[in-house]
Amino acid sequence: MEQPTPTIEFHLTAHDDEHVAVYSGTSAQQASTEVVDGVTGLLRELPRGWLLYLHGVEPLAHPRWRELVDTAVTAGHGLALDSRGTLPLSRYAALGEAAGPALRRLLVRLNLIEVGRFSDFIERVVAIRGRLQEHAEVIVTAPLLEETFADLRRFESLCDEAEVPFRYELLVEGGNLARYSPEVERHIRGRVLHDAGDLRVIRPLVYVRETQTAAYAASAALPIIPDSCPACFTAPTQRAHMKTLLAREEQEHPHLFANLLHAMRPLMGDPH
């Protein structure tokens, strides 16, 4: 089985990082400088082959974006970035020149409020792609919401016609984004038809919280297996990390899971 590329995710924007300053007890500018310095230092110490993912409002507008890119390239790491696609085309050309083959992916985020005609936005994305090297994958992404689902489906069809990859994102309260690929859409539906068309798979508990099933199992004295995945018995997993993260976020945002369900509901319906 192919192993995933180890990744560093770094939130980089043109604005000073105020929340870092609060916890560090320093000025916002000093905190931002120290964090960027720490990331560049870490990139130099890590073995070759990591992926630096720069995300945020517009990482390429940050005054030190070029330094981070140069450091990652020199240290033998790959790169992935977010962008709104609104910067001058010369900035994307500079990114392509600086990153070269190290640039694996550019995620261009669609904002339905800011975008006028979908066709103009897609033409812009194609122009951006032309400023990068051929191996760099340019993907358009957009938050998946029930109220905008019809517009996004129309936009997706236009992307298909222009051969521009499009991916949905599941919006999580607090600004965190869990990336979603259409290839896994069939795996989160409550009911799906097998590829051969002769078997329908149903998931009757798809809308039930794990806390509810755990409470029922305890009250009914059912045997409980802490983790049914054999590969998860010996080491901490990403699943465990996400459970801890979501539990912590739910304490701050009580409606977190309701919002998640609201965002995912268009994908969980039965297409057949």
Side-chain angles (χ1 to χ4, degrees), residues 46 66 72 75 83 88 106 121 170 192 228 230-231 251:
L46 288 171
R66 182 66 181 261
S83 178
L106 180 68
F121 184 83
L170 300 182
V192 64
S228 59
Q251 293 180 356

Side-chain angles (χ1 to χ4, degrees), residues 67-142:
E67 179 185 350
L68 282 164
V69 169
D70 289 343
T71 302
V73 171
T74 302
H77 305 304
L79 286 161
L81 292 93
D82 284 353
S83 178
R84 289 188 174 183
T86 56
L87 294 174
L89 292 177
S90 58
R91 181 62 57 89
Y92 300 102
L95 170 64
E97 179 182 355
L103 181 60
R104 311 273 184 82
R105 189 176 302 111
L106 180 68
L107 300 174
V108 183
R109 302 196 179 283
L110 169 68
N111 188 324
L112 291 175
I113 298 177
E114 297 177 354
V115 172
R117 295 193 307 171
F118 286 162
S119 58
D120 291 341
F121 184 83
I122 293 175
E123 288 179 6
R124 173 73 177 180
V125 173
V126 172
I128 291 173
R129 186 168 59 184
R131 267 62 179 182
L132 305 176
Q133 299 198 16
E134 293 182 358
H135 51 264
E137 185 179 21
V138 178
I139 302 174
V140 179
T141 67

Side-chain angles (χ1 to χ4, degrees), residues 22-190:
V22 171
Y23 287 106
S24 64
T26 62
S27 68
Q29 183 176 3
Q30 181 181 350
S32 180
T33 299
E34 291 177 352
V35 170
V36 174
D37 288 344
V39 173
T40 54
L42 179 61
L43 290 172
R44 296 187 184 99
E45 295 177 3
L46 288 171
R48 299 171 66 89
W50 280 65
L51 178 70
L52 173 63
Y53 171 37
L54 299 176
H55 58 87
V57 176
E58 187 55 81
L60 288 174
H62 193 279
R64 296 180 67 182
W65 74 267
R66 182 66 181 261
E67 179 185 350
L68 282 164
V69 169
D70 289 343
T71 302
V73 171
T74 302
H77 305 304
L79 286 161
L81 292 93
D82 284 353
S83 178
R84 289 188 174 183
T86 56
L87 294 174
L89 292 177
S90 58
R91 181 62 57 89
Y92 300 102
L95 170 64
E97 179 182 355
L103 181 60
R104 311 273 184 82
R105 189 176 302 111
L106 180 68
L107 300 174
V108 183
R109 302 196 179 283
L110 169 68
N111 188 324
L112 291 175
I113 298 177
E114 297 177 354
V115 172
R117 295 193 307 171
F118 286 162
S119 58
D120 291 341
F121 184 83
I122 293 175
E123 288 179 6
R124 173 73 177 180
V125 173
V126 172
I128 291 173
R129 186 168 59 184
R131 267 62 179 182
L132 305 176
Q133 299 198 16
E134 293 182 358
H135 51 264
E137 185 179 21
V138 178
I139 302 174
V140 179
T141 67
L144 177 64
L145 298 173
E146 191 170 14
E147 54 267 29
T148 60
F149 188 61
D151 288 336
L152 290 178
R153 280 299 196 190
R154 183 165 58 89
F155 178 79
E156 183 182 12
S157 65
L158 294 175
C159 285
D160 290 341
E161 294 176 3
E163 297 183 347
V164 172
F166 176 72
R167 299 290 183 269
Y168 293 106
E169 292 174 343
L170 300 182
L171 185 62
V172 181
E173 184 173 336
N176 296 316
L177 292 170
R179 259 160 212 85
Y180 162 74
S181 172
E183 286 79 3
V184 302
E185 178 176 346
R186 66 190 306 273
H187 298 294
I188 64 173
R189 291 189 179 276

Side-chain angles (χ1 to χ4, degrees), residues 198-215:
D198 58 350
L199 179 66
R200 184 180 298 276
V201 179
I202 63 172
R203 301 180 177 94
L205 300 180
V206 69
Y207 295 106
V208 179
R209 289 286 303 274
E210 184 177 357
T211 53
Q212 294 174 297
T213 58

